[in-house]
Amino acid sequence: MTLRVLADSVLADGGVSGAVLAYIPSPARGVWQLGPFPLRAYALCIILGIIVAIWWGERRWRARGGKPGAILDVAMFAVPFGLVGGRLYHVATDWQKYFGADGNPVDALKIYQGGLGIWGAVLLGGVGAWIGCRVYKIPLPALGDAVAPPILLAQAIGRLGNYFNQELYGRETDLPWGLEIYRRVGDDGRLDMMNGASTGVVDKIVHPTFLYELLWNVLVVVLLVYVDKRFRIGHGRLFALYVAGYCFGRFFIELMRADEATKIAGIRINSFTSAVVFLGAIAYFVFATKGRETPEQLHPGASPRPWPWQIRALRAAGAASAEKSPAADASETGTDAPETGADAASTEGTASDVASRAPESGGRSEAEAAGTGGDSAGTATDKTDSGKSATDKS
């Protein structure tokens, strides 16, 4: 659909004609019927975002040294958990729509109609990823760093679904990039702004906050990729930057919205959540282990991993992996330390000398001869000779 140009519009107060720049039109519909099955643009955008996240996340994981297939394996846990968590958060924060006076509780199950809270999706999706990582013995922080930019790009793609649903928009505006919200009606002629077809009547012109968030997400994705390549971020710190970056933008975008929302102390709950989660993400970034995991640490079962709430143990494990002791390196390569090698060589030489003198000592065992020191070998031999004389006298 092309942009509709409103030309020669008349201002209500002065009657002055003037050209108005093009507004952004909404799609005529967001649902198409394929026989008895509805094809929803919102669902297609969510699915496309998941596919892109898994594909790109797999490439990033392999580039960091991980084994192929790990991202898809963990996604089998994370995606269902994330969808359930996103829906639960949406229903919990907008419960009036489903359990209020005019609500229908059954609609809470209709996830295809839109309504996924990113906070719940990340929270329960993280729980699912953690379970998957425990099953496949993969370090969760490293996996989070690999999938952080792909997840945010998936969120940007998912925002296109809000565009088709005519939702997640802001207050009314007269800015040239304002979004036209069409009046839609269903097949029965009743008003149905989400599932119906457009009548061509513009109901209002609003801030396209879904578009603001989409562009912000793409910008943060670019920054995350740059920071990751420039500073080699690891141990979950890149994922923390993703969370902080998203929360920072979402806080201000949320302030532009005018739809009904649950509030805490007069603040929209999503703005409140953005601020709290932002602070938590920054704290993790500051105090988490610096550096990046080695490729060997990304392999299944490479090293035991502490539980997520064992902060000190996590930091200690990260520090230990970043700086291995010389003794550990020597043991891995199968060589001994220089001092130990010299002592072994000296002992070996001494044992050989004593063994060569064994016949003179009256057939003493090699084990006994090897137990003597290098300089005391002659003394031991003299003592043996003395012992033989004493035996003859007796």
Side-chain angles (χ1 to χ4, degrees):
M1 180 182 294
T2 59
L3 295 178
R4 183 170 68 89
V5 179
L6 301 179
D8 298 329
S9 62
V10 179
L11 300 181
D13 54 352
V16 181
S17 297
V20 179
L21 295 179
Y23 290 120
I24 302 174
S26 291
R29 62 171 62 238
V31 182
W32 298 269
Q33 289 295 140
L34 297 179
F37 303 102
L39 182 63
R40 300 180 181 276
Y42 182 84
L44 293 177
C45 292
I46 295 296
I47 294 173
L48 178 60
I50 293 173
I51 293 174
V52 170
I54 293 175
W55 173 78
W56 190 20
E58 179 70 20
R59 290 176 62 89
R60 284 178 51 81
W61 178 253
R62 295 176 63 179
R64 298 167 88 91
K67 290 188 175 181
I71 300 299
L72 182 59
D73 290 337
V74 176
M76 295 298 100
F77 293 87
V79 172
F81 273 76
L83 291 175
V84 173
R87 188 60 176 178
L88 288 176
Y89 181 89
H90 169 74
V91 173
T93 54
D94 291 317
W95 61 270
Q96 301 92 339
K97 297 180 180 179
Y98 307 100
F99 304 102
D102 299 328
N104 183 5
V106 178
D107 290 341
L109 303 176
K110 299 178 180 179
I111 191 173
Y112 53 82
Q113 291 186 351
L116 289 174
I118 185 60
W119 316 115
V122 172
L123 179 61
L124 274 192
V127 172
W130 173 72
I131 294 174
C133 286
R134 282 284 172 176
V135 170
Y136 295 106
K137 298 182 180 180
I138 299 172
L140 177 61
L143 184 133
D145 291 332
V147 300
I151 288 177
L152 190 53
L153 181 60
Q155 290 178 227
I157 296 174
R159 286 305 175 208
L160 291 175
N162 302 127
Y163 172 56
F164 282 93
N165 278 359
Q166 291 194 140
E167 60 183 359
L168 198 64
Y169 51 79
R171 296 186 296 271
E172 294 191 35
T173 181
D174 57 358
L175 292 173
W177 58 82
L179 175 69
E180 296 177 335
I181 299 298
Y182 294 144
R183 187 167 299 175
R184 292 175 176 177
V185 296
D187 295 336
D188 56 0
R190 295 182 179 181
L191 186 66
D192 191 346
M193 298 294 287
M194 181 175 295
N195 302 310
S198 172
T199 60
V201 177
V202 177
D203 194 58
K204 52 187 173 182
I205 298 174
V206 297
H207 278 285
T209 50
F210 80 89
L211 180 60
Y212 299 162
E213 184 173 326
L214 186 157
L215 296 176
W216 174 255
N217 289 352
V218 172
L219 175 61
V220 175
V221 167
V222 174
L223 292 177
L224 289 175
V225 172
Y226 170 77
V227 169
D228 192 33
K229 290 184 177 180
R230 176 67 176 81
F231 301 102
R232 294 184 59 80
I233 301 295
H235 299 285
R237 297 173 75 229
L238 189 71
F239 190 87
L241 282 183
Y242 141 63
V243 174
Y246 174 78
C247 290
F248 183 82
R250 180 63 184 268
F251 178 85
F252 295 101
I253 294 173
E254 194 71 20
L255 298 179
M256 298 182 182
R257 296 179 61 179
D259 54 325
E260 295 183 3
T262 304
K263 296 183 179 180
I264 299 178
I267 303 175
R268 294 174 65 95
I269 189 170
N270 284 334
S271 294
F272 183 85
T273 306
S274 297
V276 173
V277 176
F278 172 81
L279 294 176
I282 292 298
Y284 182 93
F285 178 81
V286 172
F287 295 107
T289 305
K290 308 300 186 292
R292 178 183 290 184
E293 299 86 348
T294 62
E296 291 76 15
Q297 292 176 286
L298 306 185
H299 297 168
S303 60
R305 190 72 187 171
W307 296 90
W309 52 83
Q310 296 175 317
I311 305 300
R312 291 184 178 179
L314 286 171
R315 296 186 65 185
S321 63
E323 299 179 1
K324 294 182 179 180
S325 64
D329 292 339
S331 64
E332 289 178 1
T333 56
T335 59
D336 295 331
E339 295 79 9
T340 305
D343 294 342
S346 177
T347 304
E348 183 180 356
T350 303
S352 300
D353 294 341
V354 175
S356 64
R357 298 182 185 182
E360 301 178 2
S361 62
R364 295 182 64 204
S365 65
E366 293 182 1
E368 291 176 347
T372 61
D375 294 336
S376 63
T379 304
T381 305
D382 294 339
K383 290 182 178 179
T384 305
D385 294 338
S386 299
K388 288 174 64 181
S389 300
T391 304
D392 294 339
K393 290 181 180 180
S394 64

